[in-house]
Amino acid sequence: MITIPYLTALTTYFSYGLLFAFGQFRDFFRKIIDWWQTSNLQGYAPICLGLEDFYIRRLYLRIQDCFGRPISSPPDAWFDVVERVSNDNNKTLKRTEKVSRCLNLGSYNYLGFAAADEYCTPLVIESLKRYSPSTCSSRVDGGTTTLHTELEECVANFIGKPAAIVFGMGYVTNSAILPVLIGKGGLIISDSLNHNSIVNGARGSGATIRVFQHNTPSHLEKVLREHIAEGQPRTHRPWKKIIVVVEGIYSMEGELCKLPEIVAICKKYKAYVYLDEAHSIGAVGKTGRGVCELLGVDTADVDIMMGTFTKSFGSCGGYIAGSKELIQYLKYTCPAHLYATSISPPSAQQIISAIKVILGEDGSSRGAQKLARIRENSNFFRSELQKMGFEVLGDNDSPVMPIMLYNPAKIPAFSRECLKQNVAVVTVAFPATPLLLARARICISAAHTREDLIKALEVISRVGDLVGIKYFPAEPNKQQLEDGRVKLE
């Protein structure tokens, strides 16, 4: 639970109020001007209604140069950011031929597999020659190669489940699976900060949806108890099925799920557990097997395990791991399996090769070194940011570190100043977060060296002082403490 300082909340509300007021003022005069202009589509309703895209026109366009920055190199520890210019007050941005070499603190390249790898890359190139960039077919037609079968076996063994099924897109894995697993007469209990793919999947299922307070097992138990007692709306019949949906690491908070407590509650009330490990699989745990390994939870106690290959494995797509009966059912019923083009063979080979490196099956210890480095880098960077006085969300071992910005004016200021000093960061604001809780989301990689992290900390500290986002007093360093002791003596 984030507690916002009173003055910070007041100034943030005031800033958004000013932006809203001036935006409405400009819209009023725009309507007067448009009144005299003839429209080419007489009788048609406008595709973009004024109130619906107000936020985009009057707030987002002011700072859109901070988002969607194109790159021209692999998203490694350092990458090339293409510079853009605007001649119409940020309404449109044009790419230039200039690039800036920047330290990458925004990509989900947790284990460093997104760049060329001595083991993975040659195998991916070989698979491209043997197969093709795409199967051009769904899995049930001509889209299943030997690589897809090997990948599903490899994922199931890595996760610790009897079987697995893979999809070509991580977002679709959630949004297409949930409507297959549960429907009308079922109950979905979802964490209040679950990803948008889970939200849309739950809405599309037709099941009743209830939300529990973020990462609060006691409130989850309260919601479960109340709704089991009440039953279905109107009829009060027992629920056909209850699924509790949580994430391993929450992508906007950097927090680890309180999985042991949640699993115990679900067992008590006979509810299924659906775990989204998009940001945790491969990134945490002694051998990279996610929050179950990190928190000591038996994978047999988690009914449906979902994850993506876009973070730790340097590829694309997602998976569902579970019992053989569940996976067989999904293969017969899931539209993402029946109708969507299967994951590309080179992407499948990249995932298989990355898992082999993590497990040491490539004949080296690079996988173990990567896992140790991502853990060390994450904990070092988090502790240093906190010592500087930044408000940093999340838990130790998590490679996701949100730095709270709050005020809308500080979003572009922080992003632009960091970019000027060759550090690329991602800023996140409404509607991805609540209105008051804008933040910069730092993602740490095993590819970062200690020198990279120290440079990033120096830049972020300078920009933090300039922008004014050090909301806590900084800890004195050793030199200051020694100077203080000398003065006292």
Side-chain angles (χ1 to χ4, degrees):
M1 190 70 179
I2 303 171
T3 305
I4 309 173
Y6 177 78
L7 183 60
T8 302
L10 188 65
T11 55
T12 302
Y13 272 128
F14 181 74
S15 298
Y16 274 112
L18 276 178
L19 288 169
F20 185 82
F22 277 104
Q24 292 289 353
F25 189 69
R26 293 182 67 182
D27 275 5
F28 174 76
F29 282 100
R30 171 57 58 188
K31 287 179 181 178
I32 294 175
I33 295 171
D34 289 346
W35 180 267
W36 302 102
Q37 295 178 355
T38 58
S39 174
N40 293 326
L41 295 173
Q42 294 293 339
Y44 283 83
I47 292 177
C48 300
L49 298 177
L51 289 176
E52 290 180 358
D53 70 337
F54 174 83
Y55 182 85
I56 295 173
R57 290 183 291 104
R58 299 308 183 198
L59 280 79
Y60 171 76
L61 287 182
R62 292 170 176 264
I63 60 171
Q64 72 161 326
D65 60 295
C66 299
F67 306 99
R69 288 172 176 152
I71 64 172
S72 58
S73 67
D76 203 3
W78 289 79
F79 62 0
D80 295 328
V81 179
V82 179
E83 296 183 14
R84 297 176 295 176
V85 295
S86 176
N87 298 319
D88 53 6
N89 298 316
N90 250 20
K91 288 182 180 179
T92 58
L93 295 168
K94 294 182 180 179
R95 298 184 186 185
T96 67
E97 295 182 356
K98 296 180 181 178
V99 296
S100 300
R101 190 70 176 168
C102 295
L103 180 59
N104 180 10
L105 295 181
S107 300
Y108 308 132
N109 183 25
Y110 295 144
L111 294 184
F113 283 117
D117 183 83
E118 61 188 70
Y119 179 79
C120 299
T121 304
L123 292 173
V124 171
I125 294 171
E126 183 182 337
S127 71
L128 180 62
K129 293 177 181 177
R130 180 182 176 186
Y131 298 97
S132 66
S134 173
T135 61
C136 299
S137 182
S138 67
R139 288 290 303 275
V140 295
D141 295 329
T144 299
T145 66
T146 54
L147 281 178
H148 292 86
T149 306
E150 182 185 353
L151 175 59
E152 289 177 339
E153 292 174 358
C154 186
V155 169
N157 293 333
F158 181 69
I159 302 301
K161 281 289 189 181
I165 182 173
V166 297
F167 304 95
M169 183 179 178
Y171 187 98
V172 168
T173 306
N174 275 329
S175 60
I177 285 293
L178 283 169
V180 176
L181 292 176
I182 193 168
K184 190 174 181 181
L187 174 64
I188 295 175
I189 301 180
S190 177
D191 188 287
S192 61
L193 295 183
N194 273 341
H195 191 263
N196 179 263
S197 60
I198 295 173
V199 174
N200 283 340
R203 288 173 178 171
S205 70
T208 301
I209 304 168
R210 293 295 179 265
V211 174
F212 69 95
Q213 292 173 7
H214 171 58
N215 221 7
T216 309
S218 58
H219 189 246
L220 167 63
E221 183 170 15
K222 180 183 177 184
V223 172
L224 265 169
R225 189 169 55 245
E226 288 178 355
H227 285 83
I228 289 174
E230 291 176 6
Q232 295 184 40
R234 294 191 299 277
T235 64
H236 302 292
R237 291 175 181 172
W239 299 100
K240 293 180 180 178
K241 195 186 300 179
I242 301 175
I243 297 180
V244 175
V245 187
V246 293
E247 294 186 36
I249 292 178
Y250 291 89
S251 59
M252 289 296 173
E253 314 300 314
E255 291 180 1
L256 295 169
C257 171
K258 294 180 180 177
L259 192 59
E261 297 92 329
I262 289 171
V263 166
I265 290 168
C266 290
K267 276 186 174 182
K268 180 180 177 181
Y269 292 94
K270 304 297 184 290
Y272 293 107
V273 181
Y274 183 109
L275 176 63
D276 178 344
E277 287 216 80
H279 287 268
S280 53
I281 192 66
V284 298
K286 186 178 179 180
T287 59
R289 287 180 166 89
V291 291
C292 287
E293 181 179 50
L294 181 68
L295 302 177
V297 176
D298 189 347
T299 54
D301 293 331
V302 181
D303 304 285
I304 304 115
M305 298 185 71
M306 176 269 176
T308 63
F309 304 122
T310 54
K311 281 81 177 176
S312 299
F313 306 98
S315 187
C316 64
Y319 68 84
I320 293 288
S323 65
K324 289 183 179 179
E325 294 78 14
L326 170 67
I327 300 305
Q328 196 64 35
Y329 171 73
L330 292 177
K331 287 182 177 180
Y332 289 141
T333 57
C334 181
H337 181 79
L338 296 172
Y339 305 115
T341 302
S342 60
I343 189 170
S344 72
S347 297
Q349 181 62 64
Q350 168 67 26
I351 301 159
I352 295 168
S353 304
I355 291 175
K356 287 183 177 180
V357 172
I358 292 170
L359 296 177
E361 294 178 6
D362 65 326
S364 73
S365 60
R366 290 194 305 121
Q369 292 170 7
K370 284 176 178 287
L371 290 166
R373 199 177 305 122
I374 182 65
R375 184 166 54 251
E376 291 169 6
N377 286 354
S378 300
N379 292 338
F380 167 74
F381 204 79
R382 182 183 300 279
S383 65
E384 291 301 312
L385 286 174
Q386 290 170 339
K387 289 176 185 176
M388 291 175 181
F390 292 102
E391 184 176 356
V392 185
L393 304 184
D395 298 315
N396 283 336
D397 288 351
S398 170
V400 182
M401 288 162 222
I403 302 173
M404 299 309 297
L405 303 176
Y406 296 118
N407 197 291
K410 296 181 180 182
I411 300 168
F414 183 80
S415 179
R416 290 164 181 164
E417 288 300 322
C418 284
L419 189 64
K420 285 180 183 177
Q421 300 184 50
N422 298 106
V423 173
V425 298
V426 171
T427 51
V428 189
F430 179 84
T433 66
L435 191 68
L436 290 181
L437 304 182
R439 63 199 67 180
R441 185 175 63 179
I442 306 297
C443 292
I444 298 300
S445 171
H448 289 132
T449 64
R450 185 55 62 95
E451 291 74 22
D452 292 338
L453 299 180
I454 291 171
K455 171 184 169 54
L457 288 165
E458 290 172 352
V459 170
I460 290 173
S461 181
R462 287 196 298 269
V463 175
D465 289 328
L466 180 66
V467 177
I469 56 172
K470 293 184 178 180
Y471 295 105
F472 298 109
E475 291 184 15
N477 57 36
K478 291 182 180 179
Q479 185 64 41
Q480 289 174 328
L481 289 172
E482 289 174 3
D483 292 346
R485 285 171 188 157
V486 170
K487 289 179 182 177
L488 287 172
E489 289 172 358

